[in-house]
Amino acid sequence: MATHRTKMLIIGSGPAGYSAAIYGARAMMEPIVVQGLQPGGQLTITTDVENYPGFRDVIQGPWLMEEMKAQAEHVGTRMMWDTIVEVDLANGSPFRAIGDSGDEYIGDVLVIATGAQAKWLGVPGEMELGGKGVSACATCDGFFYRGKKVAVIGGGNTAVEEALYLTNHSDDVTLIHRRDELRAEKILQDRLLNHPKISVLWNKTVESFEAGENGALSHLRLRDTVTGEDSNFSCDGAFVAIGHAPATELFKGKLPMDDSGYLVVEPGTPKTSIPGVFAAGDVMDHTYRQAVTAAGTGCMAALDAERFLATLDVAEREAAE
């Protein structure tokens, strides 16, 4: 067991965590990034990325995360292969965290960038066909299904918004819902039900995602929740839209969260209710959930962290005098 001391401690290693590290290192805060169970975050399970600025050609999600990590290390970040299992925020700065390894991490400021995970159905073929017709992000992957037949699974705001978005690329969008009415807001329901490019299959659950001869998705196997009847639904792309789960279990009872478990921040900033603790990326963003917005909030967290440390230095000097 060892103790690691830094001005800036970052928990999480997706676009938000790496961006915070890049800015933090360039501000001489000598950041430590504790990478967690999935270094690189959700982009490590994303194949084609076409909407991250700066690349004219399609790039791969894992490659982008490797480049961000390498850039952060190049400017002075220390990467730790560990998972935080306990944090102490109650006593203010410096903040203390314990890793699964038993190591202790102490930081004058703390950036939380633990991200969120899309909720999945957990049925056969779902993971195997990820990137081959199955996705959990229409904004990320809808462009690849231009002019093709697509399905959205879900009945809440997320599903309806994804279906409406997909009409920008497809003239044949089907929403598949296990009940006979939607849970989405009324205004969204009205837009969806009156849209000429969208149809709805009610009382249907997805039993499995099935591949065709080319190894990509060819159809969904459905079951009627009323009659129990099985059927097949042919499509080129299927988007699972049943919500996201932020990775905030570690901070329950220690930081304010909304009803969905996302960390609450001061509007327009990454500042949490505890001075010196900042939240960046999908752990606090339930609206946009894009790599570029996560990177942006990581930058904001680092800039605000630098300002916070400057106020601490002033306070210490005044106390000494």
Side-chain angles (χ1 to χ4, degrees), residues 112-135:
I112 301 167
T114 47
Q117 295 289 337
K119 295 179 181 177
W120 295 95
L121 298 172
V123 300
E126 188 173 40
M127 294 295 103
E128 294 83 351
L129 292 173
K132 300 177 183 178
V134 178
S135 171

Side-chain angles (χ1 to χ4, degrees), residues 7-11 15-25 27 29 31 108-114 265-266 268-272 274-281 283-284 293-309:
K7 291 180 181 178
M8 173 188 268
L9 176 60
I10 301 169
I11 304 176
Y18 288 150
S19 296
I22 292 165
Y23 276 82
M29 288 189 280
D108 295 329
V109 295
L110 174 65
V111 176
I112 301 167
T114 47
V265 294
E266 183 181 315
T269 80
K271 299 176 183 176
T272 69
I274 297 178
V277 178
F278 307 92
V283 76
M284 48 74 81
T293 52
T297 55
C299 163
M300 293 162 65
L303 294 176
D304 281 342
E306 185 181 3
R307 296 186 184 106
F308 175 79
L309 287 179

Side-chain angles (χ1 to χ4, degrees), residues 204-275:
K204 296 287 191 297
T205 59
V206 176
E207 296 295 296
S208 65
F209 297 86
E210 302 293 337
E213 292 182 359
N214 62 355
L217 178 71
S218 68
H219 65 277
L220 314 179
R221 189 163 59 84
L222 306 179
R223 176 163 296 172
D224 192 293
T225 58
V226 177
T227 66
E229 180 184 355
D230 290 335
S231 61
N232 290 332
F233 178 82
S234 298
C235 60
D236 301 295
F239 295 84
V240 179
I242 57 176
H244 286 73
T248 53
E249 187 70 28
L250 188 61
F251 307 100
K252 283 187 176 177
K254 299 176 181 180
L255 286 169
M257 302 179 187
D258 66 14
D259 292 341
S260 299
Y262 289 86
L263 294 179
V264 174
V265 294
E266 183 181 315
T269 80
K271 299 176 183 176
T272 69
S273 62
I274 297 178

